[in-house]
């Protein structure tokens, strides 16, 4: 047998806690398995945890990063119904998709498992038995919504209705939680609930369930929270969310559900029920560790030697600071409890929220398809990490950060240094790092070393406190210092005039390149690997920043990182600029929802199909009323008129004044990109002061039939949103950068507008019914934003208002 066919080396043995070492167990909230993860999911959970896990490994800590897909529960059953397959088939499909996306993003799990495993059933049921034995569970009859049409009790996520929380305007809250105000709900609390499957109104029936007695566990829980939130430096948003729950008062929490897909309840009476997903999902951290190593208890029942760090979005906080700790405390066993929790707010997309259920935003597979490298996505998401408040993803911001920070700052510094070293003797160093005797007494180099040493201390402090965005910014500031040092030295002049000083500057700068490679590895591992290749160093042998090896001490003498005489590899540029035309293309491509943007060809074909259907079903004026009623009732396509028929443009009000013969009307001259401005009459006097009507951009419907209003003909209509009671009206405003006269578009709807919307066709009336402002104040047709080349159109304060 030839040596080339020898078997691959066996995988390394599972990591276990090491006595005397710092042992860190890291988890990120288990991503739900019913869709492709979007960028908000990725930064909120797996990417943040990956950065911290990589930092721990870089520092020489014994770190284990555990994650996997959360596979049980209603959402999986619902998705399986949608795709006409079994829940297991859905889980198999999406687990593989998640795994592929995370691999592309360079997420380095020690184990990426799943909750639909034998270990999950075994451990979940064992915990249940301990809770039952210790009398922390109670049995009670609860009222639950039952759908006669579907002949089933409806789990929380199968019910939608108006949120009952005072001040919340969400009319599509789920039965378990309102995504708008983040309040936890029970389905029976919803106003006007509907079954998500058949859209009929369910009714209340009684059913027996098991409850975790949180009130009885409160003292144990509060002691844990008070001690650990301080010692573990919990993020402020985690503390606030936890205290809000405690302040409201803990109530018994149902842990069972009338479902088939889940961990079976091991009691004869409840054999047809499963554990509620909030109860079993956090146990997934334990069961996935058990699928990694049979000695899982050395991680999970070893609180004296293991520190548990958990990462998640803010909507997951109560499950990890209230529910899961109460469950573990109730067993009376010696569990490794969470020490530190790191919580992100929401990353919003352009002007609205990322949404897996609605398919809005940039998803993991989208990021891959842009050809923007994973390290750029990681960098941007981490620079935008919503640590203290919601942050906003925009394509122009991604472009700005890539071009300024990565291309012109970091990439420029590294390439200048290595390219100069690589130049042949006489103009450079022939790829050999020069010696630098006396570097510590070289004035500008000594000053730089002091600055860098302080920056490194700040970086380590931020990372230890899990302030990842701060850590990244500090690391990037070292690149700033390197650029200033290199430029200020005028090394190209020193090379000829003062070769000793030049060698000091270059060897120190190469040391900074290596330092940046280390500090940025948690954030951009593929970038670091490429720089190490250009330095002719092996990542496996050379990349570390541990106390044991003295790397953090070397930061005080950066010229010592790499030895004189080392030969570097071939330098090449590390990043490419993102051009304006590409950004514009991506903004258009990823507007709207996944379904609407699946391909432009499909959208165009659908628009053509609808137009043809409309032409074929147009009623003649002479048709009988009975025939008209029959046709209008049977022709669904006639009701589904394309919004592309509306000619909505960005207009600029050049002048506005009161109507001479009507106290409630304004007369405006509006530039809509034509040779002459249009005269427009609007009934806005009692809502918007005259001075606020001057010289402002508005959205103008330009193809309504002109109509005379108190003697003055109006040639268009200014679009505005109104509150439910019509006491408040606000103009729909295009973004500042939108061009006057450009057409407002709707992703997924293409075609030319009608020349004139005649009153007989009722096109405007049909489409107007679906024009509204959403919960994020974005003007929408159905769920699709009013979009311009500069972004989406919005209103100031009226959420969920109708637009006319």
């Amino acid at each position: 047998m030839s040596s080339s066919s020898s078997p691959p080396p066996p995988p390394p043995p599972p990591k276990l806690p090491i006595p005397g070492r710092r042992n860190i167990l890291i988890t990120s909230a288990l991503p739900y398995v019913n869709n492709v993860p979007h960028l908000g999911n990725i930064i909120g959970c797996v990417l943040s945890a990956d950065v911290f896990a990589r930092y721990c490994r870089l520092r020489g800590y014994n770190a284990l990063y555990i994650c996997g897909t959360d596979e049980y529960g209603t959402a999986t059953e619902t998705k399986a119904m949608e795709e006409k397959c079994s829940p297991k088939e859905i889980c198999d499909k999406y687990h593989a998709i998640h795994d592929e996306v995370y691999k592309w993003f360079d997420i380095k799990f020690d184990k990426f498992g799943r909750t639909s495993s034998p270990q999950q059933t075994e451990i979940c049921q064992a915990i249940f038995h301990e809770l039952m034995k210790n009398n922390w569970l109670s049995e009670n009859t609860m009222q639950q919504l039952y759908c006669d049409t579907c002949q089933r009790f409806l789990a929380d996520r199968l019910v939608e209705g108006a949120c009952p929380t005072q001040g919340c305007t969400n009319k599509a809250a789920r039965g378990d939680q309102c995504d708008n105000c983040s309040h936890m709900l029970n389905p029976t609390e919803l106003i006007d609930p509907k079954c998500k499957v058949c859209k009929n109104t369910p009714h209340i029936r009684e059913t027996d369930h098991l409850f975790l007695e949180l009130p009885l566990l409160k003292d144990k829980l509060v002691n844990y929270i008070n001690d650990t939130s301080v010692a573990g430096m919990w993020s402020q948003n985690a503390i606030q969310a936890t205290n809000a729950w405690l302040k409201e008062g803990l109530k018994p929490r149902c842990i069972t559900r009338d479902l088939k897909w889940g961990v079976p309840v091991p009691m004869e009476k409840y054999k047809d029920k499963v554990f509620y997903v909030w109860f079993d999902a956090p146990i997934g951290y334990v069961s996935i560790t058990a699928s990694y190593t049979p000695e899982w208890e050395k991680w999970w029942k070893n609180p004296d030697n293991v520190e548990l760090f958990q990462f998640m979005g803010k909507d997951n906080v109560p499950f990890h600071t209230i529910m899961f700790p109460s469950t573990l405390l109730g067993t009376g066993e010696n569990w490794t409890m969470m020490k530190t929790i790191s919580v992100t707010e929401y990353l919003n997309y352009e002007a609205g929220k990322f949404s897996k259920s609605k398919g809005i935003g940039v998803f993991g597979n989208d990021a891959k398809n842009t050809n923007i490298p994973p390290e750029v996505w990681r960098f941007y998401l981490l620079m935008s990490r919503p640590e203290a408040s919601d942050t906003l993803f925009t394509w122009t911001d991604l472009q700005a950060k890539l071009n300024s920070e990565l291309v012109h700052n970091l990439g420029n510094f590294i390439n200048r240094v290595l390219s100069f070293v690589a130049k042949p003797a006489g103009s450079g160093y022939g790829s050999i790092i020069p010696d630098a005797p006396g570097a510590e007494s070289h004035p500008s180099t000594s000053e730089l070393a002091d600055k860098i040493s302080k920056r490194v201390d700040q970086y380590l402090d931020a990372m230890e406190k899990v302030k990842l965005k701060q850590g990244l910014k500090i690391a990037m500031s070292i690149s700033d210092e390197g650029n200033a040092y290199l430029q200020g030295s005028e090394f190209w002049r020193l090379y000829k005039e003062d070769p000793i000083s030049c060698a000091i500057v270059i060897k120190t700068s190469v040391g900074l390149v290596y330092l940046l490679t280390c500090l940025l590895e948690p954030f951009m591992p593929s970038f670091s690997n490429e720089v190490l290749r250009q330095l002719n160093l092996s990542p496996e042998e050379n990349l570390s920043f541990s106390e044991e090896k003295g790397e953090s001490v070397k930061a005080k003498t950066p010229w010592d990182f790499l030895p004189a005489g080392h030969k570097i590899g071939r330098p090449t540029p590390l990043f490419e600029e993102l051009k304006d035309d590409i950004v514009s293309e991506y903004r258009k491509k990823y507007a709207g929802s996944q379904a609407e943007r699946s391909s432009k060809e499909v959208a165009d074909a659908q628009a053509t199909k609808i137009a043809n259907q409309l032409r074929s079903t147009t009623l003649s004026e002479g048709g009988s009323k009975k025939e008209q009623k029959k046709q209008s009732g049977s022709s669904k396509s006639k009701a589904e008129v394309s919004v592309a028929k509306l000619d909505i443009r960005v207009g600029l009000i050049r002048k506005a004044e009161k109507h001479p013969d009507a106290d409630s009307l304004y007369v405006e001259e509006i530039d809509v990109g034509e040779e002459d401005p249009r005269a427009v009459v609007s009934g806005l006097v009692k809502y918007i002061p005259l001075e606020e009507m001057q010289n402002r951009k508005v959205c103008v419907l330009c193809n309504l039939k002109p109509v005379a209003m108190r003697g003055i003909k109006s040639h268009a209509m200014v679009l505005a949103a109104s509150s439910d009671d019509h006491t408040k009206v606000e103009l729909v405003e295009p973004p500042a950068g939108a061009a006057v006269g450009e057409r407002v578009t709707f992703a997924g709807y293409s075609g030319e507008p009608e020349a004139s919307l005649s009153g007989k066709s009722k096109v405007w009336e049909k489409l107007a019914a679906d024009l509204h402002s959403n919960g994020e104040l974005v003007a929408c047709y159905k769920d699709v934003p009013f979009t311009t080349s500069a972004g989406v159109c919005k209103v100031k304060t009226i959420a969920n208002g109708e637009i006319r």
Side-chain angles (χ1 to χ4, degrees):
M1 183 182 290
S2 67
S3 59
S4 61
S5 61
S6 58
K15 294 179 187 175
L16 293 174
I18 300 170
R21 290 276 295 279
R22 190 174 180 194
N23 300 296
I24 298 181
L25 176 59
I26 299 162
T27 71
S28 61
L30 306 180
Y32 206 78
V33 77
N34 66 329
N35 205 333
V36 183
H38 58 59
L39 299 184
N41 305 137
I42 289 167
I43 184 58
C45 302
V46 296
L47 178 54
S48 294
D50 179 66
V51 171
F52 186 68
R54 286 177 178 276
Y55 165 76
C56 291
R57 297 182 197 116
L58 191 72
R59 297 281 286 148
Y61 307 151
N62 184 38
L64 182 72
Y65 179 17
I66 295 294
C67 191
T69 41
D70 177 7
E71 301 191 352
Y72 285 139
T74 318
T76 302
E77 284 197 1
T78 307
K79 192 72 173 178
M81 283 189 283
E82 286 175 14
E83 299 197 11
K84 296 181 174 56
C85 61
S86 70
K88 184 181 185 306
E89 287 171 327
I90 282 290
C91 293
D92 290 345
K93 171 184 173 180
Y94 282 103
H95 175 82
I97 289 172
H98 277 257
D99 191 36
E100 183 182 350
V101 166
Y102 301 141
K103 282 176 180 171
W104 186 82
F105 270 93
D106 271 336
I107 310 294
K108 189 178 180 181
F109 305 107
D110 288 292
K111 177 67 178 179
F112 185 71
R114 29 199 322 194
T115 58
S116 59
S117 68
Q119 292 91 343
Q120 176 76 356
T121 299
E122 180 185 344
I123 294 172
C124 196
Q125 291 181 345
I127 287 173
F128 166 76
H129 284 306
E130 290 302 313
L131 292 170
M132 182 67 79
K133 184 176 75 176
N134 295 335
N135 296 315
W136 298 119
L137 298 179
S138 62
E139 190 175 7
N140 213 331
T141 301
M142 66 184 288
Q143 293 184 325
Q144 196 170 334
L145 292 175
Y146 186 88
C147 180
D148 286 322
T149 307
C150 298
Q151 294 189 323
R152 64 188 291 183
F153 283 102
L154 296 180
D156 301 350
R157 285 173 176 261
L158 285 179
V159 188
E160 274 190 355
C163 178
T165 307
Q166 187 173 2
C168 183
T169 57
N170 187 8
K171 291 184 171 62
R174 296 196 314 263
D176 59 344
Q177 185 174 7
C178 174
D179 287 336
N180 191 38
C181 67
S182 295
H183 270 78
M184 306 295 289
L185 301 172
N186 286 313
T188 53
E189 297 173 328
L190 293 174
I191 300 166
D192 191 24
K194 300 290 181 189
C195 170
K196 281 191 71 174
V197 178
C198 67
K199 309 302 180 188
N200 289 322
T201 301
H203 63 90
I204 294 174
R205 272 176 59 170
E206 290 189 340
T207 178
D208 289 342
H209 280 287
L210 292 164
F211 290 74
L212 179 62
E213 285 291 341
L214 292 176
L216 300 181
L217 286 158
K218 182 180 177 182
D219 289 345
K220 290 176 181 288
L221 178 67
V222 169
N223 287 337
Y224 159 73
I225 291 170
N226 289 343
D227 292 343
T228 312
S229 61
V230 176
M233 297 178 288
W234 286 12
S235 57
Q236 197 57 41
N237 44 12
I239 293 171
Q240 289 169 350
T242 304
N243 287 341
W245 261 66
L246 293 175
K247 188 176 180 182
E248 282 185 16
L250 297 179
K251 301 177 182 64
R253 189 77 179 177
C254 185
I255 67 167
T256 53
R257 276 296 178 264
D258 292 288
L259 290 173
K260 301 295 182 189
W261 182 243
V263 174
V265 179
M267 288 179 67
E268 181 61 28
K269 180 179 178 180
Y270 294 101
K271 64 182 180 181
D272 292 330
K273 300 181 192 288
V274 299
F275 287 116
Y276 190 12
V277 71
W278 76 257
F279 176 78
D280 94 270
I283 296 171
Y285 302 129
V286 184
S287 72
I288 292 169
T289 310
S291 69
Y292 169 72
T293 172
E295 297 182 88
W296 60 269
E297 290 188 354
K298 290 185 177 180
W299 285 106
W300 281 101
K301 293 186 178 180
N302 190 2
D304 294 334
N305 295 304
V306 175
E307 303 169 59
L308 173 58
F309 286 71
Q310 298 196 294
F311 291 78
M312 68 206 64
K314 64 181 176 182
D315 51 343
N316 264 316
V317 170
F319 303 111
H320 292 78
T321 62
I322 302 286
M323 312 295 189
F324 189 41
S326 297
T327 300
L328 297 182
L329 289 167
T331 66
E333 296 175 325
N334 194 32
W335 288 97
T336 301
M337 304 289 287
M338 176 181 63
K339 175 187 175 185
T340 298
I341 181 171
S342 179
V343 175
T344 56
E345 302 291 310
Y346 291 132
L347 176 71
N348 293 325
Y349 179 65
E350 292 285 341
K353 282 185 178 178
F354 278 92
S355 172
K356 274 207 305 183
S357 58
K358 295 177 182 176
I360 292 173
V362 177
F363 288 71
N365 49 348
D366 298 329
K368 184 177 180 179
N369 292 337
T370 62
N371 295 320
I372 297 172
E375 64 262 30
V376 174
W377 283 110
R378 288 177 63 111
F379 173 82
Y380 177 74
L381 290 172
L382 291 157
M383 283 293 260
S384 305
R385 186 173 187 253
E387 293 184 349
S389 61
D390 292 356
T391 57
L392 187 65
F393 169 94
T394 68
W395 287 101
T396 51
D397 189 40
L398 170 64
Q399 177 191 28
K401 284 188 169 64
L402 165 56
N403 293 351
S404 63
E405 292 293 327
L406 295 183
V407 177
H408 298 304
N409 175 5
L410 180 65
N412 177 64
F413 172 67
I414 293 173
N415 195 250
R416 284 184 82 189
V417 172
L418 299 188
S419 295
F420 190 73
V421 174
K423 284 183 178 181
S427 55
Y429 294 95
S431 298
I432 305 297
I433 296 176
D435 199 3
E440 63 280 352
S441 57
H442 185 258
S444 63
T445 303
S446 175
E447 183 183 344
L448 173 76
D450 288 341
K451 289 179 182 177
I452 298 304
S453 179
K454 288 173 184 174
R455 291 277 200 279
V456 168
D457 287 343
Q458 292 166 356
Y459 169 91
L460 296 176
D461 181 64
M463 296 300 284
E464 291 292 332
K465 293 175 179 175
V466 202
K467 295 182 177 179
L468 306 182
K469 185 197 295 188
Q470 185 180 339
L472 177 55
K473 288 182 175 179
I474 292 167
M476 291 300 293
S477 74
I478 292 174
S479 179
D480 287 328
E481 295 289 355
N483 268 314
Y485 168 72
L486 194 64
Q487 188 67 20
S489 72
E490 298 185 353
F491 64 94
W492 58 91
R493 180 181 57 80
L494 291 179
Y495 185 78
K496 295 178 180 178
E497 299 176 8
D498 187 353
I500 293 175
S501 292
C502 187
I504 290 171
V505 168
I506 294 302
K507 190 168 191 286
T508 302
S509 296
V510 173
L512 284 189
V513 168
Y514 178 79
L515 175 63
L516 284 165
T517 304
C518 291
L519 301 186
L520 289 171
E521 192 276 342
F523 303 94
M524 297 185 289
S526 54
F527 151 82
S528 291
N529 284 341
E530 173 58 21
V531 177
L532 287 173
R533 187 195 66 76
Q534 295 187 23
L535 286 169
N536 194 25
L537 296 171
S538 163
E540 291 75 19
E541 295 173 13
N542 292 92
L543 192 65
S544 78
F545 200 72
S546 70
E547 298 292 344
E548 291 176 9
K549 296 182 180 179
E551 276 97 350
S552 57
V553 175
K554 282 185 183 176
K556 297 178 181 178
T557 57
W559 50 87
D560 284 337
F561 270 115
L562 295 178
H566 175 77
K567 185 174 183 178
I568 70 168
R570 186 172 66 86
T572 55
L574 294 160
F575 303 101
E576 290 184 15
E577 280 195 334
L578 195 55
K579 304 295 185 183
D580 290 346
D581 58 335
I582 300 297
V583 170
S584 180
E585 177 189 327
Y586 288 152
R587 181 188 284 118
K588 290 174 185 174
K589 184 174 181 179
Y590 297 109
S593 72
Q594 286 172 305
E596 290 158 347
R597 71 193 186 210
S598 57
S599 75
K600 191 175 186 302
E601 291 77 14
V602 171
D604 287 344
Q606 183 65 20
T608 302
K609 180 181 175 183
I610 291 172
N612 291 336
Q613 288 172 333
L614 284 169
R615 278 194 290 273
S616 67
T617 55
T618 299
L619 298 173
S620 65
E621 269 188 83
S624 69
K625 288 184 179 178
K626 184 176 181 180
E627 184 183 351
Q628 289 178 16
K629 184 176 181 182
K630 180 182 175 184
Q631 288 189 30
S632 64
S634 64
S635 176
K636 187 179 178 184
S637 63
K638 181 170 175 59
E640 295 175 350
V641 182
S642 173
V643 72
K645 290 188 173 292
L646 300 184
D647 184 9
I648 302 175
R649 300 185 214 167
V650 175
L652 177 65
I653 300 176
R654 298 290 187 190
K655 177 184 176 184
E657 57 190 13
K658 290 277 191 70
H659 193 296
D661 297 317
D663 292 340
S664 63
L665 301 178
Y666 285 132
V667 180
E668 305 109 22
E669 289 183 8
I670 305 181
D671 180 357
V672 291
E674 298 168 339
E675 189 171 340
D676 297 312
R678 294 196 187 196
V680 180
V681 182
S682 307
L684 298 169
V685 170
K686 70 177 184 177
Y687 303 108
I688 302 173
L690 182 60
E691 61 271 17
E692 292 183 17
M693 292 291 292
Q694 311 296 331
N695 198 36
R696 67 183 293 177
K697 286 181 181 175
V698 287
C699 288
V700 184
L701 179 62
C702 294
N703 59 340
L704 278 179
K705 188 177 179 180
V707 60
M709 300 178 71
R710 298 296 290 268
I712 297 178
K713 189 169 280 191
S714 181
H715 293 270
M717 183 168 74
V718 175
L719 296 182
S722 60
S723 57
D724 288 342
D725 56 6
H726 300 288
T727 59
K728 190 175 180 183
V729 174
E730 294 174 347
L731 294 174
V732 177
E733 297 185 274
V740 172
E742 76 166 285
R743 192 176 168 206
V744 174
T745 59
F746 299 86
Y749 297 89
S750 59
E752 292 302 313
E754 288 193 357
S756 177
L757 302 174
S758 66
K760 292 173 185 174
S761 68
K762 302 289 185 185
V763 170
W764 164 242
E765 288 79 358
K766 290 169 184 170
L767 294 168
D770 289 311
L771 299 179
H772 63 99
S773 59
N774 68 12
E776 286 76 45
L777 309 179
V778 178
C780 294
Y781 169 69
K782 297 184 177 177
D783 290 326
V784 184
F786 285 47
T787 305
T788 72
S789 61
V792 299
C793 305
K794 303 187 74 172
V795 296
K796 277 195 169 64
T797 64
I798 298 174
N800 304 309
E802 64 177 29
I803 291 176
R804 299 290 185 273

